Amino acid sequence: MAKLAEADLIIKNASQLLTIRGFSKRLKTGKDMNNLNIVENGAIAIKNGRIAWIGKSKNVKNNISLRLKGQMIDAKNKLVMPGLIDPHTHLVFSGSRHEEYKMKIAGLSYTEIHSKNINSGIISTMKATRNASESELVCSALERIRLATQHGTTTIEIKSGYGLNRSNELKILRVIKELKKRSLIDIVSTFLGAHTIPPEYRNRRELYVDLVISMLPKIYKEDLAKYCDVFCDNLGFTIEETRKILEKARNVGFVLKMHAEQTSYLGSAKLAAQLGVISADHLDHISYEGIKKMAKRGVVGILLPGVTFHLMERQKQKFMECQVKRMIESELPIALATDYNPGSCNTLSMQMIMKLAAVFYKMSPEQIINAATINAAHAVGMADEVGSLEIGKKADIIISDVQEYGELVDKFGYNLVRTVIKNGQII
Ligand SMILES: [Zn+2]
């Protein structure tokens, strides 16, 4: 009898094993979003942190054996799937904005809160973050990453953007670099110096745009970020300013991202398509034309339903129900993210976001799971490594206390994830 391949860890008897295979090289769109490539009563074997074998549980004994100190997990009555990927967060910050949220509850809009008090919103978080030390920021961020991981996130994108001057933006990017070393999960770093105009540049915004541009070469050279993002919005940067910053960033070597069409329609989705950004995020005011242009260019649309939930923006939810349907029909690749930040979306749970995508956008469970795994991996340039269960890819796996994947978006308000495996290690 041939010698069996050896594994460090075998998970077997999963009621369903969602592989989501076949899309590491191309984005998942349209009807493909309805498929999860499921192995019923599935098993998966891991060796050296990577996926070594996938099949039916009954075929384990003829194909794979455990190394001497290997471990077997019985996933009977449980769901096994790729770790969740959160491709948009602002996780490094100091302070809290719960006082501002009281105003929100009292009926003020995000824009009204911003314009009433110039020390509110991003600026209040900027002040607290500027006053925090690097080690304080590392500590609080590590705790947040731990919480996100407990809820199933195994890869996360983190943006700078609460420093808003040279020294503090660099400080945040160094914190993210430190998090990469100290955290168990994969972290993707994005420079968002163009988050908003800081108070000291309020009447000299062109100088702030120049400052952001002048920071690009150092950040890229020192490997502090691979992605450059701009908040293209009435509360952030104009179309022309965004274009200027992102074109320079591309010349330096950055991959581009945009916050687009969030608080009003600006035509930023069209700009995203023109520039060929990897993802355009929010899109709560996107036009049909914008959808078609982004779809044609293969720009991932990252949807952030936690924001309109937290900010109680019911009209946007209605509008987006219709637009998301059009996005899928137009073959626009969709991903989901938390947008975790202290002001407009205070959750680290991708499970919560998946629920909201069902409630607000009427996305199907299959579409939602694809958007939170493989397409989210594409949105951070990591689809070769994570986002699906395929031989050779990283063994990033979550085991949930449900028997069928549909339950993932049915149940809500408590953590369904029981076991998180990152690079083959149970964490
Ligand atoms: Zn954001």
Side-chain angles (χ1 to χ4, degrees):
M1 194 174 133
K3 197 169 178 289
L4 300 182
E6 286 194 322
D8 305 316
L9 176 66
I10 297 174
I11 304 164
K12 66 175 189 179
N13 301 327
S15 57
Q16 292 185 323
L17 185 135
L18 314 182
T19 68
I20 315 186
R21 67 174 181 269
F23 289 83
S24 297
K25 299 289 177 205
R26 63 193 174 100
L27 287 155
K28 213 163 188 183
T29 62
K31 292 200 168 60
D32 286 330
M33 291 284 279
N34 297 325
N35 196 340
L36 296 169
N37 272 305
I38 301 168
V39 183
E40 304 281 347
N41 198 0
I44 184 165
I46 295 152
K47 190 178 180 187
N48 298 330
R50 304 242 160 208
I51 296 164
W53 183 87
I54 297 172
K56 292 266 187 197
S57 294
K58 64 177 185 200
N59 295 330
V60 168
K61 62 179 185 300
N62 293 326
N63 286 279
I64 211 106
S65 68
L66 277 178
R67 272 186 197 175
L68 203 54
K69 286 186 177 160
Q71 195 177 359
M72 180 79 80
I73 296 178
D74 185 355
K76 191 165 187 292
N77 296 330
K78 294 199 164 40
L79 179 77
V80 174
M81 61 180 282
L84 301 171
I85 294 168
D86 189 349
H88 182 140
T89 81
H90 305 254
L91 185 138
V92 177
F93 64 84
S94 187
S96 169
R97 298 207 334 235
H98 60 278
E99 289 297 334
E100 201 177 292
Y101 198 62
K102 283 189 200 163
M103 290 190 246
K104 184 72 225 162
I105 296 167
L108 269 65
S109 75
Y110 189 64
T111 316
E112 282 165 342
I113 294 167
H114 252 274
S115 55
K116 256 200 168 52
N117 179 359
I118 59 161
N119 289 322
S120 70
I122 294 170
I123 300 304
S124 79
T125 303
M126 176 204 80
K127 286 186 173 163
T129 307
R130 281 182 181 179
N131 285 329
S133 70
E134 272 182 56
S135 61
E136 283 165 359
L137 292 171
V138 168
C139 276
S140 57
L142 278 173
E143 174 59 16
R144 290 167 194 153
I145 291 169
R146 194 182 65 78
L147 280 169
T149 307
Q150 273 179 356
H151 287 81
T153 299
T154 52
T155 298
I156 198 164
E157 186 257 18
I158 306 176
K159 302 174 197 297
S160 70
Y162 290 124
L164 303 178
N165 62 25
R166 185 182 299 271
S167 61
N168 283 288
E169 281 298 305
L170 289 173
K171 176 176 81 178
I172 295 169
L173 292 169
R174 282 195 304 270
V175 167
I176 300 173
K177 199 167 184 177
E178 184 64 20
L179 296 173
K180 285 187 191 179
K181 284 187 217 149
R182 297 191 29 193
S183 158
L184 296 168
I185 68 170
D186 277 304
I187 295 172
V188 174
S189 177
T190 299
F191 173 50
L192 179 63
H195 196 184
T196 194
I197 303 276
E200 58 270 32
Y201 284 92
R202 186 149 288 129
N203 300 315
R204 316 175 284 160
R205 45 190 302 136
E206 63 291 347
L207 289 183
Y208 187 68
V209 170
D210 290 343
L211 175 68
V212 169
I213 289 170
S214 74
M215 295 173 66
L216 293 168
K218 180 182 166 71
I219 291 167
Y220 190 78
K221 214 168 84 202
E222 295 184 6
D223 197 25
L224 291 169
K226 185 182 166 195
Y227 294 86
C228 180
D229 194 344
V230 175
F231 183 31
C232 184
D233 195 276
N234 284 330
L235 298 176
F237 294 79
T238 65
I239 291 277
E240 278 321 306
E241 289 164 345
T242 304
R243 185 196 300 278
K244 189 174 172 189
I245 294 165
L246 289 182
E247 281 180 347
K248 296 277 192 216
R250 183 168 52 200
N251 290 342
V252 170
F254 285 93
V255 181
L256 311 182
K257 284 181 165 278
M258 271 173 70
H259 284 64
E261 321 283 31
Q262 182 186 355
T263 68
S264 61
Y265 172 78
L266 279 189
S268 44
K270 279 186 272 178
L271 178 66
Q274 274 172 22
L275 291 170
V277 302
I278 192 166
S279 77
D281 308 11
H282 286 285
L283 308 176
D284 298 296
H285 293 267
I286 194 169
S287 67
Y288 191 28
E289 193 194 355
I291 291 172
K292 286 189 286 190
K293 291 222 153 94
M294 276 177 50
K296 196 164 172 218
R297 190 73 198 258
V299 176
V300 180
I302 299 185
L303 306 177
L304 309 165
V307 177
T308 58
F309 173 71
H310 188 67
L311 299 180
M312 308 169 207
E313 296 172 323
R314 296 195 177 92
Q315 272 179 328
K316 285 191 194 174
Q317 291 155 10
K318 271 277 151 220
F319 176 71
M320 281 298 270
E321 180 182 337
C322 162
Q323 293 308 69
V324 171
K325 193 162 174 277
R326 287 172 142 179
M327 287 176 187
I328 293 167
E329 283 166 3
S330 306
E331 310 238 316
L332 177 77
I334 291 175
L336 289 164
T338 59
D339 194 17
Y340 173 66
N341 75 83
S344 63
C345 191
N346 213 336
T347 184
L348 287 156
S349 168
M350 281 294 288
Q351 290 175 62
M352 176 71 184
I353 298 304
M354 291 162 75
K355 177 70 182 183
L356 296 177
V359 175
F360 296 158
Y361 308 150
K362 308 291 186 285
M363 285 170 72
S364 68
E366 296 86 353
Q367 291 165 345
I368 288 169
I369 292 168
N370 278 309
T373 54
I374 190 66
N375 277 358
H378 278 288
V380 291
M382 287 194 63
D384 279 341
E385 287 281 58
V386 298
S388 60
L389 302 181
E390 300 180 68
I391 290 167
K393 285 182 103 166
K394 287 188 180 212
D396 292 5
I397 299 165
I398 53 176
I399 305 175
S400 298
D401 233 352
V402 298
Q403 293 190 43
E404 295 188 23
Y405 66 84
E407 293 177 70
L408 274 186
V409 293
D410 178 23
K411 298 177 172 173
F412 71 99
Y414 60 103
N415 191 5
L416 299 168
V417 173
R418 283 294 159 268
T419 307
V420 179
I421 295 162
K422 178 69 190 178
N423 292 322
Q425 301 293 321
I426 300 168
I427 56 176

